Amino acid sequence: MKSLSKLIVPVIAVIFGLLFGAVFMVIIGKDPILAYQVLWNSSFGSMRGFFTTLVNTTPLIFTGLAVAFAFRTGLFNIGGDGQFLVAYTATAWIGFIIQLPWFIHIPLALLAGILAGGVWGGFAGYLKAKLGVHEVITSIMMNYISLYLTSFLIGGPLMKPGPIPATPRIFASARLWRIPGSRLNLGFLLALLAALLIYYLLWKTTIGYEVRAVGLNPKGAENGGINIARNMVLAMFISGALAGLAGSVQVMGLQHRAYQPFGLIGLGFTGIAVALLGKNHPAGIILAAFLFGILSRGANEMQSMAGVPKDLIEIIQAIIIFFMAAEYVFTLILRKKKKKKGVVANVE
Amino acid sequence: MQKKEMLAVEMINISKEFPGVLANDSVNFSLAQGEIHALLGENGAGKTTLMKCLYGLYHPDAGEIYIKGKRFNVTSPNIAIENGIGMVHQHFMLIPPFTVAENIVLGREPRKNGMLDQNKAILEVEELSHKYGLNVEPRAKVQDITVSMQQRVEILKTLYRGADILILDEPTAVLTPQEVKELINIMKNLTSQGKSIIFITHKLKEVKAISDRVTVIRRGKVIDTVETAGATEAGLAKMMVGREVVLQVEKGQAAPGEIILEVESLKAKDERGLPALTGTSFQVRRGEILGIAGVDGNGQSELAETLIGLKRPTGGKIVFNGQDIANFSTREIIEAGVSFIPEDRQKRGLVLDFTLYENLIMGQHYRPPYASGININYRRVKKEVQRLIKEFDVRTPGEDILARALSGGNQQKVILAREFDREHDLLVAVQPTSGVDVGAIEFIHNRIIEQRDNGKAVVLISLELDEILSLSDRIAVIYEGEIVAIMDSEEANEDKLGLLMAGAGNRKEMGGGVE
Ligand SMILES: Nc1ncnc2c1ncn2[C@@H]1O[C@H](COP(=O)(O)OP(=O)(O)OP(=O)(O)O)[C@@H](O)[C@H]1O
Ligand SMILES: [Mg+2]
């Protein structure tokens, strides 16, 4: 009952998002029913489409978890994109520089991503803990440092000579197994596993206990002998590592090489939306990432088959986020409703 | 009907249920015009709930509310405010960076060209504060003023909105004895100008000193409403708790053992970086209670915080069990065997949005039996916690309730349970009974004495002289960050301590000699 009521607001937010999207479509003279049919079919109409949706879902689970974990510690990790890119590059490097048995190479490549992303995030945590610099500012700055650094590396020292600015392909021993004939790979399972692990970490271990305590009441945590600075660094490390894994999986499962980035790809930012819609809970994040996966999968087909511009999907996403952010107002209205009912019962 | 018109407030058959608790059970309550009506009851009895129903913060499940003879459905504080009700909550609701005047006029601010008219606001506030004898500094920022002035600001805020019925929820819990006297004068002044006041407190003395009538609530039900003049403290306590309460602490002779804590010329700074401890020295033995008396703000908080490692001293030593713990982290100090009851239970003592079981393991959460490696064994935790809840009589529907949902006194018991249950040789207790009911005070005092009798050392820091005098074996007086006198409690009395606390015995040598 209690957990069901937690679903109310996200579900309402999504419904509103879709409704508003429909209104927009009507305004621009398109058929919303057709568009949503296309959207639905693009993900659920064929196995192939469904797999692609899961491929899209994978990095969002990671970056959503990243944002949520930091948030539980009272920190806002807006640096997911930077952490993604350093991990992306590090993993690609480990992947092509050396050939190893797969059972060593895969963990090693993932570890490279975890460390790169973790250090990148942890550094922002360190600056916050030691110098009090706000993590939003540092992680945005670190995003750009990461962008230019990785762009330089991939376009320079790590680039495979040729027309495409990208690293050499990684060895097969560092590639994640794919379902034959599709791009869906083990990365998706890794994302689910990460969600499970984060759930466990948050609610079954001392680490989770401490970061949650710091997030809810730092002074109270301090009084219980919990080191606030250490937990901030740790939480940002774990958060960065999660965003980093999104990058690793991108290379190992999907692209098999790292392409020079020309801008921040925004997976980290979308992660914020995913975490918000998923209410910072691993299970919610899986669902939210899946929804965003469906939307991004359907965007192109909606454009080509229903004539609805791709950008509309982003509008829908924005509306969902808006309603989640306005949750406070929602709960207030709900509470008022309850009170009103109480009045009626009372007057008789 | 006629009678109702004379009553400022009448509440009939009010019931309010929370999941698992019937907080108010067919409560009848009335407040006459110009009356001070005390509301007395154990922690969690339902006093705050009843008042929140009146103020429109909760909506009762059943019952009727009349304000000045007229029936209302108080569905929001706005309705209450419009009808002249004002409430000062136990935890203040001011905006710290705003000035006193801004806070008072907020929501009804005088405007000029659509902007807040500062001068007019200040003028109005000054006028109001003059009228009711509530001394405030309108231009000061709320974050810079004392707690008691913040409270006066809260009261003025209700008056500014035209309140003539005031609800004061445990206003004295946060005040020093001197400030309590001032507040009592203010309340008398207010009623002489036609205001009616509902006054919640746990202090029987205050009830006797100021109220006209008392309503006693126990476990959600009204036990009785009586004229204060005809009631005794012991009688009221009995009504509250449902049994005889020993108001006088009974304790045997102390049997002090070896010195366990030695504080040597300890220095520390306060939050603003000004010296707060200027060379504090004292010793505590096993099996004794050292009371530290002093006027608020003489370094007590800083002393407590350095002892538990929340604040780094700038000089001096804290030798505990033979090692200098002055630069230990809080965790190391806890592990060395120090337990701590902090002054501010909501900010320091608890994580309000943690469940009871999470709060009860705080500080021990990483150690057996609760944890092995990084895994917390929550099944084990819950079992232990159920035992603690029973042992310390925490009134709660269960261990997985959020600490936030408990009443103030029960929150304190949670902290107590946690700190007493863990392995320790020294207990540092700051204001351990602030805001708790007489039954709980008795319980807490007995537990502290039990600690002593089990060979623990206790440092009791309290603003309440009564508490210091009745519990301590020795009493130290702190003044401007220094211990200015230490004496056996038999030698101490209220007057003597009062003088020392005011700085009359400025030097240590004079400590024994003040007559
Ligand atoms: N918002 C809430 N949700 C759930 N339970 C609540 C809530 N507020 C109060 N309670 C419960 O209702 C009961 C009465 O609480 P209330 O705060 O009215 O007590 P009180 O008499 O003011 O106690 P105290 O003297 O400790 O402040 C308690 O058992 C408390 O746990
Ligand atoms: Mg209360």
Side-chain angles (χ1 to χ4, degrees):
Chain A
M1 188 59 214
K2 219 177 170 186
S3 44
L4 265 186
S5 72
K6 278 192 193 137
L7 281 176
I8 292 179
V9 177
V11 168
I12 293 179
V14 170
I15 291 174
F16 268 100
L18 294 176
L19 280 179
F20 273 75
V23 171
F24 274 115
M25 288 184 230
V26 172
I27 291 173
I28 58 173
K30 305 290 171 190
D31 178 0
I33 295 175
L34 174 68
Y36 284 142
Q37 240 163 18
V38 170
L39 179 67
W40 176 265
N41 283 334
S42 72
S43 281
F44 301 104
S46 68
M47 211 49 163
R48 216 182 86 88
F50 185 64
F51 285 168
T52 307
T53 299
L54 294 186
V55 168
N56 292 346
T57 305
T58 305
L60 294 179
I61 295 178
F62 282 119
T63 54
L65 288 171
V67 173
F69 195 83
F71 194 78
R72 291 271 176 191
T73 321
L75 298 170
F76 194 41
N77 181 11
I78 201 167
D81 280 311
Q83 294 142 15
F84 175 97
L85 280 177
V86 286
Y88 177 73
T89 313
T91 298
W93 182 66
I94 292 287
F96 75 74
I97 198 79
I98 186 172
Q99 188 169 18
L100 292 164
W102 67 266
F103 56 88
I104 298 181
H105 208 174
I106 286 179
L108 197 67
L110 288 172
L111 189 70
I114 289 174
L115 284 178
V119 166
W120 215 252
F123 186 62
Y126 177 82
L127 289 176
K128 163 100 177 191
K130 288 290 162 200
L131 303 175
V133 194
H134 203 283
E135 73 278 6
V136 166
I137 295 172
T138 46
S139 50
I140 289 179
M141 293 196 318
M142 301 267 300
N143 274 347
Y144 285 96
I145 298 175
S146 167
L147 174 62
Y148 295 121
L149 179 70
T150 56
S151 175
F152 161 74
L153 286 174
I154 297 172
L158 301 183
M159 186 173 141
K160 182 186 182 201
I164 309 166
T167 64
R169 291 187 178 278
I170 59 173
F171 285 106
S173 58
R175 296 180 190 174
L176 294 174
W177 182 80
R178 278 185 182 183
I179 290 183
S182 96
R183 298 196 304 148
L184 183 60
N185 59 77
L186 271 184
F188 180 66
L189 275 186
L190 284 179
L192 294 184
L193 214 64
L196 203 67
L197 193 76
I198 290 302
Y199 174 81
Y200 186 81
L201 208 58
L202 275 175
W203 283 287
K204 305 287 173 203
T205 70
T206 55
I207 296 171
Y209 179 91
E210 294 199 357
V211 298
R212 283 185 301 120
V214 170
L216 291 169
N217 178 4
K219 282 192 152 189
E222 199 182 18
N223 191 64
I226 292 172
N227 185 330
I228 297 178
R230 217 198 70 165
N231 274 286
M232 281 184 173
V233 178
L234 181 70
M236 282 301 280
F237 180 92
I238 292 176
S239 176
L242 285 163
L245 276 172
S248 301
V249 164
Q250 194 85 351
V251 170
M252 296 166 70
L254 223 52
Q255 301 177 336
H256 295 168
R257 68 197 301 191
Y259 293 91
Q260 186 181 29
F262 293 107
L264 297 169
I265 22 142
L267 284 172
F269 289 111
T270 314
I272 297 170
V274 169
L276 197 64
L277 183 61
K279 303 205 87 178
N280 296 309
H281 191 286
I285 285 167
I286 292 175
L287 292 178
F290 184 54
L291 179 81
F292 278 60
I294 294 172
L295 293 178
S296 68
R297 157 75 189 148
N300 278 327
E301 295 193 8
M302 268 168 75
Q303 176 153 335
S304 56
M305 292 168 69
V308 174
K310 251 168 97 163
D311 304 323
L312 195 98
I313 289 294
E314 272 171 39
I315 294 179
I316 294 176
Q317 288 183 1
I319 290 166
I320 293 174
I321 295 165
F322 175 81
F323 277 103
M324 284 309 293
E327 169 177 0
Y328 174 72
V329 182
F330 264 153
T331 33
L332 217 69
I333 294 168
L334 285 180
R335 213 178 296 154
K336 276 234 169 95
K337 279 263 164 63
K338 260 191 205 150
K339 270 191 185 166
K340 287 253 166 64
K341 266 192 203 146
V343 177
V344 176
N346 185 36
V347 163
E348 297 157 354
Chain B
M1 206 60 222
Q2 242 173 352
K3 194 168 156 242
K4 271 182 192 149
E5 256 146 16
M6 295 164 54
L7 293 172
V9 171
E10 185 164 28
M11 302 176 81
I12 298 171
N13 281 326
I14 300 288
S15 291
K16 174 75 191 170
E17 191 173 358
F18 291 113
V21 243
L22 193 53
N24 288 159
D25 184 0
S26 304
V27 170
N28 289 308
F29 176 82
S30 67
L31 176 70
Q33 303 268 13
E35 175 188 41
I36 297 183
H37 195 141
L39 205 49
L40 200 58
E42 287 182 285
N43 294 124
K47 306 177 295 292
T48 300
T49 304
L50 185 68
M51 289 304 111
K52 285 189 173 168
C53 286
L54 176 58
Y55 193 57
L57 285 169
Y58 292 155
H59 197 272
D61 304 326
E64 297 165 16
I65 296 176
Y66 294 84
I67 303 171
K68 290 163 211 149
K70 251 182 82 187
R71 169 117 189 244
F72 282 99
N73 273 313
V74 193
T75 47
S76 87
N78 283 336
I79 297 182
I81 292 167
E82 275 162 27
N83 289 287
I85 297 180
M87 181 158 180
V88 176
H89 298 271
Q90 198 169 341
H91 303 277
F92 300 150
M93 313 213 161
L94 300 170
I95 304 170
F98 280 24
T99 66
V100 166
E102 284 165 347
N103 265 286
I104 291 174
V105 301
L106 193 72
R108 318 247 149 150
E109 53 275 1
R111 283 165 188 277
K112 199 162 74 181
N113 310 326
M115 304 275 282
L116 168 65
D117 185 347
Q118 284 281 358
N119 292 334
K120 186 143 183 257
I122 289 171
L123 223 66
E124 286 180 347
V125 167
E126 270 170 352
E127 201 175 301
L128 204 63
S129 93
H130 202 72
K131 183 171 171 199
Y132 294 105
L134 283 145
N135 178 25
V136 295
E137 175 48 64
R139 288 178 185 82
K141 292 208 165 114
V142 162
Q143 63 203 14
D144 300 329
I145 63 178
T146 62
V147 172
S148 74
M149 193 181 286
Q150 288 179 23
Q151 186 171 65
R152 292 196 290 269
V153 172
E154 286 274 18
I155 296 175
L156 278 173
K157 187 170 173 154
T158 63
L159 295 172
Y160 184 81
R161 294 170 170 190
D164 48 17
I165 298 163
L166 270 74
I167 305 167
L168 307 180
D169 194 354
E170 293 193 41
T172 56
V174 293
L175 301 182
T176 64
Q178 189 51 43
E179 291 165 342
V180 170
K181 281 183 196 147
E182 284 168 29
L183 178 68
I184 285 184
N185 284 334
I186 290 170
M187 285 165 64
K188 283 186 177 147
N189 200 347
L190 286 169
T191 46
S192 73
Q193 305 207 31
K195 312 280 178 197
S196 319
I197 299 177
I198 302 172
F199 173 51
I200 302 181
T201 183
H202 288 294
K203 311 235 173 77
L204 299 169
K205 263 190 194 154
E206 294 167 6
V207 172
K208 285 291 288 177
I210 188 170
S211 67
D212 301 305
R213 286 193 298 161
V214 201
T215 292
V216 179
I217 302 184
R218 192 198 312 152
R219 301 197 177 207
K221 286 201 179 84
V222 169
I223 300 302
D224 203 356
T225 298
V226 297
E227 301 281 331
T228 311
T232 63
E233 284 184 33
L236 290 172
K238 190 177 169 191
M239 275 164 74
M240 248 171 92
V241 184
R243 62 176 167 83
E244 296 287 347
V245 181
V246 187
L247 295 172
Q248 205 60 44
V249 179
E250 287 169 356
K251 64 172 200 221
Q253 196 62 39
E258 83 265 27
I259 292 172
I260 197 165
L261 174 73
E262 199 164 358
V263 175
E264 264 178 57
S265 44
L266 192 65
K267 294 193 176 70
K269 298 206 159 98
D270 68 10
E271 234 125 71
R272 294 162 298 172
L274 303 172
L277 295 179
T278 53
T280 309
S281 302
F282 60 87
Q283 300 172 337
V284 194
R285 295 173 178 276
R286 277 186 183 280
E288 74 164 353
I289 300 172
L290 175 72
I292 296 192
V295 176
D296 194 19
N298 273 280
Q300 292 97 323
S301 313
E302 288 78 9
L303 175 60
E305 292 196 341
T306 46
L307 285 179
I308 191 69
L310 292 169
K311 188 182 268 304
R312 289 261 163 271
T314 51
K317 278 189 189 164
I318 304 173
V319 181
F320 175 63
N321 262 339
Q323 54 181 344
D324 186 359
I325 58 167
N327 285 306
F328 276 29
S329 71
T330 300
R331 177 164 296 180
E332 287 165 333
I333 290 174
I334 292 173
E335 282 176 356
V338 181
S339 276
F340 181 54
I341 301 174
E343 185 175 0
D344 188 332
R345 61 173 155 255
Q346 302 212 324
K347 286 213 191 82
R348 275 282 184 211
L350 296 167
V351 176
L352 288 179
D353 291 306
F354 260 12
T355 60
L356 290 194
Y357 65 81
E358 285 169 318
N359 269 298
L360 277 160
I361 61 169
M362 177 68 78
Q364 297 286 93
H365 57 273
Y366 62 97
R367 286 207 290 196
Y370 300 133
S372 57
I374 64 161
N375 292 299
I376 297 182
N377 181 350
Y378 278 109
R379 202 175 304 157
R380 179 69 195 267
V381 167
K382 287 187 186 175
K383 219 164 82 194
E384 291 288 322
V385 158
Q386 280 159 0
R387 170 180 66 80
L388 285 176
I389 287 176
K390 212 174 280 160
E391 219 169 277
F392 284 81
D393 190 30
V394 182
R395 306 269 166 86
T396 169
E399 74 278 356
D400 37 21
I401 295 289
L402 293 187
R404 181 180 293 287
L406 288 196
S407 75
N410 282 302
Q411 290 176 346
Q412 187 73 348
K413 285 187 186 169
V414 170
I415 297 172
L416 225 62
R418 176 181 75 206
E419 301 298 317
F420 284 12
D421 190 61
R422 80 176 171 223
E423 198 85 19
H424 65 283
D425 291 319
L426 169 69
L427 169 71
V428 179
V430 189
Q431 304 274 68
T433 58
S434 88
V436 307
D437 65 59
V438 285
I441 290 176
E442 181 193 28
F443 178 88
I444 293 171
H445 283 173
N446 286 338
R447 286 298 179 114
I448 290 177
I449 291 166
E450 192 180 293
Q451 292 270 303
R452 178 199 78 169
D453 293 343
N454 290 337
K456 319 270 186 211
V458 178
V459 175
L460 170 72
I461 302 177
S462 176
L463 300 177
E464 312 234 359
L465 276 187
D466 283 348
E467 183 164 82
I468 294 273
L469 279 164
S470 59
L471 280 183
S472 313
D473 299 308
R474 287 190 305 135
I475 298 173
V477 177
I478 191 168
Y479 178 72
E480 294 192 340
E482 235 179 293
I483 301 291
V484 291
I486 298 186
M487 66 196 84
D488 287 339
S489 60
E490 290 89 57
E491 297 167 27
N493 59 49
E494 215 161 301
D495 295 337
K496 190 167 163 182
L497 291 178
L499 277 173
L500 287 164
M501 283 160 58
N506 225 335
R507 293 263 66 87
K508 241 179 236 167
E509 307 83 66
M510 292 175 62
V514 176
E515 288 303 341

